[in-house]
Amino acid sequence: MTHNKITEEILTAIKQIVGESAIITSHAELEKYSHDETEDLRFYPEVVAKPKSTQEISALMKLCNENLIPVTPRGAGTGLSGGALPVMGGLLIAMERFNKVLQIDEQNLQATVEPGVITEEFMNRVATKGLLYPVDPASKGSCFIGGNVSHGSGGPRVVKYGTIREYILNLEVVLPSGEIIWTGANTLKYASGYNLTQLMIGSEGTLGIITKIVVKLIPRPTLDALLLASFSSNEAACGAVSAIFRAGLVPSALEFMERKGVEWVIEKDGLAFDLKDGIEAFLLIEVDGTNQDVIFADCEKINQVLEEFDCKEVLFADTSAQKEELWRLRRTMAVSVKSNSIYKEEDTVVPRASLPQLIKGIKQTGLKYGFESICYGHAGDGNLHVNIIKGQMSDEDWNNKLKDGIREIFELTVSLGGTLSGEHGIGLVQKEFMPIKYGETHFALWRGIKQVFDKNGILNPGKIF
């Protein structure tokens, strides 16, 4: 697809739409928008625009569509797949001014928000009204809810409450042509033609730009308990995961952490945590509800299951402060790993009973190709984040040989009934591996959908496929 550069005439038109103060063109200021949290990749846009209304985005899209200017939408820049990288230059539309919670409808248990609202701030707002929005990625304190929708993001509590797909009722979207549509209805049921709302979720800004989001809310649990279980092997910890569910128990969170990742968090953050010899893996298990007796009974049943997998110790968090410390271990792990070494992060997901085979295969692949890995993630969903550490690996092997190792990890993942990404998306860095899972029929359908929405191929080009 042919794209054009932004001329002075087009730049003037962009300024007329959003105002000169909402434009960035200097190289120094563009640097912030040249990267997200994906490895160390850099792609500079020609211009950044910061619109404040749906109508301004509509006018920008119409202008760029008519002039074949590539457009990259961007949220908070916390993505891990390169979805917000302007690989073709052009115009980057930053959504940071779309930062309002427009309505919290307590009667219907739903809310309408703009995509630039920080996820945790929204969660806290609805919590004051006794409501819960349970989709809480590790980066919830900085990521935008619009980016979560665009990437199909998850988080620890998806295991009990369901994925983001179950909480998005309706979306206002600006199409590449500049047309503005609502994708569905503010209803719990939808059987009126193709479900465009679900199509937009996880489309990574390739089909349209989301400008309003209607989300479903649920009553907030008032009580919770948190356990940290330790194991002598990764496989034992992973094996316990599906057994908990087979016992009829549904934790509100069930997270896996490898010892090395915990060591790096302790080292970076100075946490006072007693990491005992012989412990190689942990499960962080949360149970929530409204009845303390039921919660404690569930915890006792979970403890009985853990004993069957040679669990060495179960630490019960007695206070809110202890709970916060344990959650810090998990939520800061990605940052600690990144600060310690050059790395690549892959986002595998398999049926949870296959987790022991997956992690065993990952470690064997590392030995074969000479890399170390640190794994952690949402074990209750079968979702394992694989952080590949450069360490002593040579630059040549890192840049060339490593790709074969990643391919083998994805081949194993698919052979176990899984897929390439559970919540980070495909974006730029995973798209070359898509044929491991999907055939030409899939690609033809995706290209056809893209063509219908974006016939000139201007919106977030170079992503997914």
Side-chain angles (χ1 to χ4, degrees), residues 249 292-302:
L249 300 158
Q292 194 72 69
D293 291 337
V294 172
I295 290 174
F296 283 151
D298 283 352
C299 289
E300 180 58 35
K301 291 176 185 175
I302 289 172

Side-chain angles (χ1 to χ4, degrees), residues 96 98-101 104 111 113-129 131 133 135-137 139-145 148 217 220:
E96 56 208 59
F98 281 74
N99 58 2
K100 299 181 184 65
V101 177
I104 298 176
V113 300
E114 292 184 328
V117 172
I118 292 174
T119 303
E120 187 172 31
E121 291 181 4
F122 175 61
M123 295 175 70
N124 291 340
R125 280 281 298 275
V126 301
T128 63
K129 299 180 181 297
L131 300 172
Y133 175 69
V135 184
D136 61 340
S139 59
K140 65 180 181 178
S142 54
C143 64
F144 291 171
I145 191 169
N148 298 163
L217 304 171
R220 182 177 179 82

Side-chain angles (χ1 to χ4, degrees), residues 1-254:
M1 194 70 68
T2 301
H3 296 118
N4 294 325
K5 296 289 187 181
I6 296 177
T7 63
E8 283 298 324
E9 181 181 0
I10 294 172
L11 179 59
T12 298
I14 293 171
K15 291 177 180 178
Q16 289 173 345
I17 293 169
V18 299
E20 191 155 0
S21 63
I23 293 293
I24 294 174
T25 57
S26 75
H27 187 79
E29 291 181 281
L30 291 175
E31 195 280 334
K32 172 186 173 181
Y33 299 92
S34 70
H35 61 90
D36 57 10
E37 294 299 319
T38 309
E39 302 167 21
D40 56 354
L41 302 174
R42 293 288 189 280
F43 296 89
Y44 280 77
E46 296 166 59
V47 178
V48 170
K50 301 180 183 181
K52 64 180 184 303
S53 71
T54 301
Q55 288 69 33
E56 287 183 356
I57 291 181
S58 174
L60 288 172
M61 291 308 304
K62 185 176 181 181
L63 174 69
C64 291
N65 198 44
E66 290 173 350
N67 291 278
L68 301 181
I69 304 297
V71 177
T72 304
R74 178 187 171 96
T78 59
L80 294 164
S81 64
L85 299 178
V87 295
M88 305 293 182
L91 176 68
L92 185 145
I93 295 181
M95 300 299 291
E96 56 208 59
R97 297 172 74 189
F98 281 74
N99 58 2
K100 299 181 184 65
V101 177
L102 300 173
Q103 181 190 32
I104 298 176
D105 181 352
E106 296 179 67
Q107 295 297 311
N108 289 303
L109 297 184
Q110 56 186 237
T112 304
V113 300
E114 292 184 328
V117 172
I118 292 174
T119 303
E120 187 172 31
E121 291 181 4
F122 175 61
M123 295 175 70
N124 291 340
R125 280 281 298 275
V126 301
T128 63
K129 299 180 181 297
L131 300 172
L132 176 68
Y133 175 69
V135 184
D136 61 340
S139 59
K140 65 180 181 178
S142 54
C143 64
F144 291 171
I145 191 169
N148 298 163
V149 175
S150 293
H151 285 85
S153 301
R157 291 176 179 87
V158 162
V159 65
K160 178 178 180 178
Y161 293 105
T163 71
I164 196 168
R165 291 187 175 277
E166 297 172 55
Y167 291 89
I168 307 303
L169 300 175
N170 202 358
L171 298 167
E172 182 185 68
V173 175
V174 179
L175 301 177
S177 63
E179 294 172 277
I180 302 168
I181 65 167
W182 280 94
T183 57
N186 299 1
T187 56
L188 297 176
K189 287 185 174 181
Y190 187 86
S192 305
Y194 298 136
N195 194 323
L196 298 180
T197 304
Q198 290 297 314
L199 182 60
M200 285 291 166
I201 299 169
S203 64
E204 302 186 30
T206 61
L207 303 179
I209 298 181
I210 296 167
T211 49
K212 291 186 181 69
I213 305 166
V214 181
V215 305
K216 180 179 76 172
L217 304 171
I218 57 178
R220 182 177 179 82
T222 53
L223 302 168
D224 63 67
L226 189 63
L227 314 174
L228 184 70
S230 56
F231 299 83
S232 58
S233 72
N234 291 330
E235 289 90 339
C238 287
V241 173
S242 65
I244 289 171
F245 292 89
R246 294 197 304 272
L249 300 158
V250 183
S252 51
L254 208 175

Side-chain angles (χ1 to χ4, degrees), residues 129-423:
K129 299 180 181 297
L131 300 172
L132 176 68
Y133 175 69
V135 184
D136 61 340
S139 59
K140 65 180 181 178
S142 54
C143 64
F144 291 171
I145 191 169
N148 298 163
V149 175
S150 293
H151 285 85
S153 301
R157 291 176 179 87
V158 162
V159 65
K160 178 178 180 178
Y161 293 105
T163 71
I164 196 168
R165 291 187 175 277
E166 297 172 55
Y167 291 89
I168 307 303
L169 300 175
N170 202 358
L171 298 167
E172 182 185 68
V173 175
V174 179
L175 301 177
S177 63
E179 294 172 277
I180 302 168
I181 65 167
W182 280 94
T183 57
N186 299 1
T187 56
L188 297 176
K189 287 185 174 181
Y190 187 86
S192 305
Y194 298 136
N195 194 323
L196 298 180
T197 304
Q198 290 297 314
L199 182 60
M200 285 291 166
I201 299 169
S203 64
E204 302 186 30
T206 61
L207 303 179
I209 298 181
I210 296 167
T211 49
K212 291 186 181 69
I213 305 166
V214 181
V215 305
K216 180 179 76 172
L217 304 171
I218 57 178
R220 182 177 179 82
T222 53
L223 302 168
D224 63 67
L226 189 63
L227 314 174
L228 184 70
S230 56
F231 299 83
S232 58
S233 72
N234 291 330
E235 289 90 339
C238 287
V241 173
S242 65
I244 289 171
F245 292 89
R246 294 197 304 272
L249 300 158
V250 183
S252 51
L254 208 175
E255 300 287 297
F256 171 84
M257 298 180 290
E258 202 172 345
R259 179 189 180 97
K260 189 69 173 180
V262 173
E263 288 177 348
W264 282 4
V265 172
I266 293 171
E267 181 182 321
K268 183 177 186 298
D269 286 8
L271 290 180
F273 182 78
D274 183 14
L275 189 57
K276 296 179 179 177
D277 292 341
I279 300 302
E280 295 301 323
F282 298 88
L283 292 180
L284 184 64
I285 308 167
E286 181 189 83
V287 180
D288 71 4
T290 56
N291 185 306
Q292 194 72 69
D293 291 337
V294 172
I295 290 174
F296 283 151
D298 283 352
C299 289
E300 180 58 35
K301 291 176 185 175
I302 289 172
N303 198 54
Q304 291 171 7
V305 173
L306 297 176
E307 288 176 356
E308 298 173 15
F309 290 84
D310 195 29
C311 176
K312 299 302 182 184
E313 183 181 31
V314 177
L315 174 64
F316 187 92
D318 293 318
T319 65
S320 296
Q322 286 181 330
K323 291 175 184 177
E324 183 61 32
E325 284 288 277
L326 292 181
W327 271 116
R328 272 182 67 196
L329 275 178
R330 169 62 186 91
R331 289 195 180 277
T332 61
M333 195 160 288
V335 176
S336 298
V337 170
K338 185 174 183 178
S339 66
N340 204 293
S341 172
I342 297 172
Y343 81 114
K344 291 182 183 291
E345 182 170 357
E346 312 303 334
D347 177 39
T348 59
V349 59
V350 295
R352 55 185 166 231
S354 297
L355 277 172
Q357 296 161 271
L358 176 62
I359 197 159
K360 181 178 180 181
I362 289 167
K363 297 305 177 181
Q364 289 173 341
T365 303
L367 291 173
K368 177 179 177 180
Y369 287 92
F371 63 79
E372 184 182 1
S373 63
I374 294 178
C375 299
Y376 54 85
H378 315 305
D381 303 320
N383 186 193
L384 202 62
H385 302 320
V386 184
N387 286 257
I388 298 171
I389 309 303
K390 185 173 186 294
Q392 301 303 311
M393 204 174 189
S394 69
D395 290 344
E396 182 179 353
D397 284 351
W398 180 257
N399 294 324
N400 300 302
K401 187 178 176 182
L402 177 61
K403 193 168 290 186
D404 294 330
I406 294 173
R407 181 172 295 278
E408 286 195 16
I409 289 173
F410 283 137
E411 287 172 348
L412 171 64
T413 301
V414 171
S415 75
L416 294 172
T419 190
L420 275 62
S421 179
E423 59 182 13

